[in-house]
Amino acid sequence: MMASRHVPGRAALAVAERSRGAVGAPGLTVLGCGSALPGRRITNDDMAQMVETSDEWISTRTGIRARYWCDRAAGENQRSLAAEAARRALAASGVAADEIGICLVATFTPEHATPSTACLLQRDLGLPEDALCLDVNAACAGFVYALYTASCLLSVDSHRFALVVGAEELSRVMDMGDRSTCVLFGDGAGAAVVELDPVGPGLSAVWGSRGNDDALVAGGPGTERPPYLAMDGRAVFRFATEVLPACTKEVLARAGIGPDEVDRYVFHQANKRIVDVAVRKLHLDPARCAGNIDHTGNTSAASVPLLLDELVRAGEVRSGDRVVLAGFGAGLTWAGCLVTMGPLGN
Ligand code: UT7
């Protein structure tokens, strides 16, 4: 007879995961942020000139009033946005480009399939040649995935600083024949320079993947799927309102802190209604969860660092603040973590 194997229940698995995450992810301090938006501002009224829609439909269903698209004729693209955001983050942090040991770019719209945008940033920014440069594709959860990766790499690397970027040019993968999807997305980039935080509560990172290429997918040349974004909006809405509160709750549990001990929640900006559900379910103070989707639209992997930078520049996130970052998206993926803001000069 085969020996019976104990199968742990969901609660036991959650606890086991909690201890694994707490041990495995040293905390991060954000030393400086930066962001970049391209020059073409497209309002909802502009969208209504291109597809059958209205400002009223878009703004009430999503909170979006405008988004920015790259002007390729003016030289704007995913790589240029990534470089601009990264330069600003470096300047804000006071860390020199040649001190960066790890450069990660979260994106699913890189300028080239290869080389990676991270590798091109090595040249664009003058990073050292021994910097570890790679792109991370976890869609809208990508920036948080990249932070977790940076934390793990920094803990075994001799370099002190990592540059983590989220950059997207979604206007390149939009189907203008699909009005329920094309009105949602915009281009942009955000970046942060980070170092390990040996004294804080740890990164308390949470992540997950649920293989699904039906709900949200962008194909590519030669694949069965068309090379633009296709989404089952309702399915993604249900998924997002499940995982965003759950993963935020788990970050707090891993950190051993209550919701009010977090100064700011920076949630992926996909739809204001999704954030509102998370705020309600977790009984968070809405003032600590304000977003920027009204003027950026959904910028996927760029959305979390873009919002973080805007909050820093507005003085709404300050030195010493504890910030929870969380994203969700195609994959399906989700991720959350807790960071501490370093000396930001604001
Ligand atoms: O970052 C990646 C994650 N993405 C997301 O989180 C997106 C999650 N999903 C959503 O945010 C929402 O599902 C949407 C905003 C995409 C759609 O909102 P909805 O309330 O689920 O609308 P719906 O797709 O159920 O469509 C309702 C109606 C339909 O008309 P009928 O069939 O009721 O007559 C659509 O044809 O709205 C119509 N519609 C539009 N009307 C005007 C769909 N798109 C548009 C549009 N303008 N752009």
Side-chain angles (χ1 to χ4, degrees):
M1 201 170 77
M2 279 177 67
S4 74
R5 291 180 51 180
H6 174 64
V7 180
R10 283 178 80 93
L13 282 174
V15 171
E17 274 202 356
R18 192 167 301 151
S19 11
R20 186 161 52 84
V23 170
L28 288 176
T29 302
V30 176
L31 300 170
C33 299
S35 62
L37 288 167
R40 283 177 71 200
R41 180 168 178 271
I42 312 286
T43 64
N44 288 347
D45 287 336
D46 295 330
M47 287 299 314
Q49 304 289 314
M50 296 179 248
V51 295
E52 199 186 330
T53 190
S54 65
D55 175 49
E56 200 269 336
W57 192 96
I58 301 170
S59 57
T60 54
R61 284 243 180 4
T62 69
I64 299 168
R65 294 196 171 275
R67 74 288 288 143
Y68 291 84
W69 290 355
C70 284
D71 182 351
R72 289 209 139 228
E76 290 174 341
N77 54 45
Q78 184 263 2
R79 174 184 178 178
S80 72
L81 292 176
E84 197 175 331
R87 276 192 201 98
R88 290 177 178 162
L90 283 166
S93 70
V95 172
D98 63 9
E99 294 179 282
I100 296 292
I102 291 151
C103 171
L104 305 177
V105 178
T107 186
F108 76 93
T109 52
E111 181 66 4
H112 310 300
T114 192
S116 68
T117 302
C119 203
L120 296 171
L121 286 190
Q122 182 279 326
R123 189 174 80 187
D124 294 348
L125 303 173
L127 306 181
E129 284 197 355
D130 69 347
L132 188 152
C133 299
L134 62 96
D135 285 3
V136 174
N137 179 346
C140 313
F143 184 76
V144 181
Y145 266 76
L147 281 179
Y148 174 67
T149 310
S151 151
C152 296
L153 291 171
L154 282 174
S155 65
V156 294
D157 199 282
S158 57
H159 293 95
R160 184 169 159 198
F161 303 110
L163 171 65
V164 183
V165 184
E168 302 282 16
E169 189 181 349
L170 300 170
S171 58
R172 214 157 33 81
V173 294
M174 252 146 40
D175 176 7
M176 294 305 287
D178 176 3
R179 66 175 179 167
S180 65
T181 302
C182 71
V183 299
L184 306 175
F185 295 97
D187 303 341
V193 175
V194 296
E195 69 173 339
L196 291 180
D197 168 17
V199 293
L203 196 65
S204 305
V206 176
W207 58 92
S209 310
R210 190 181 294 168
N212 177 320
D213 59 0
D214 292 321
L216 185 47
V217 60
T223 68
E224 282 175 18
R225 303 282 188 163
Y228 47 71
L229 259 185
M231 179 169 72
D232 176 346
R234 286 184 183 184
V236 176
F237 194 95
R238 278 194 301 275
F239 159 74
T241 50
E242 170 209 332
V243 296
L244 183 60
C247 114
T248 303
K249 196 172 170 184
E250 186 64 17
V251 171
L252 297 176
R254 287 185 184 191
I257 58 176
D260 292 339
E261 293 176 82
V262 171
D263 299 289
R264 199 78 195 200
Y265 293 84
V266 176
F267 292 134
H268 169 47
Q269 303 290 293
N271 185 328
K272 186 177 178 304
R273 284 160 53 214
I274 293 172
V275 172
D276 290 346
V277 170
V279 168
R280 247 191 342 266
K281 278 191 177 172
L282 296 168
H283 308 290
L284 303 179
D285 172 4
R288 296 184 196 192
C289 307
N292 63 353
I293 195 167
D294 59 325
H295 66 271
T296 62
N298 180 346
T299 58
S300 190
S303 124
V304 166
L306 228 171
L307 173 56
L308 181 63
D309 181 54
E310 288 192 4
L311 292 169
V312 169
R313 282 188 288 124
E316 290 182 39
V317 166
R318 298 189 179 83
S319 301
D321 278 359
R322 283 175 172 179
V323 181
V324 165
L325 312 172
F328 53 85
L332 297 165
T333 55
W334 62 94
C337 70
L338 175 73
V339 295
T340 307
M341 304 307 290
L344 298 168
N346 65 4

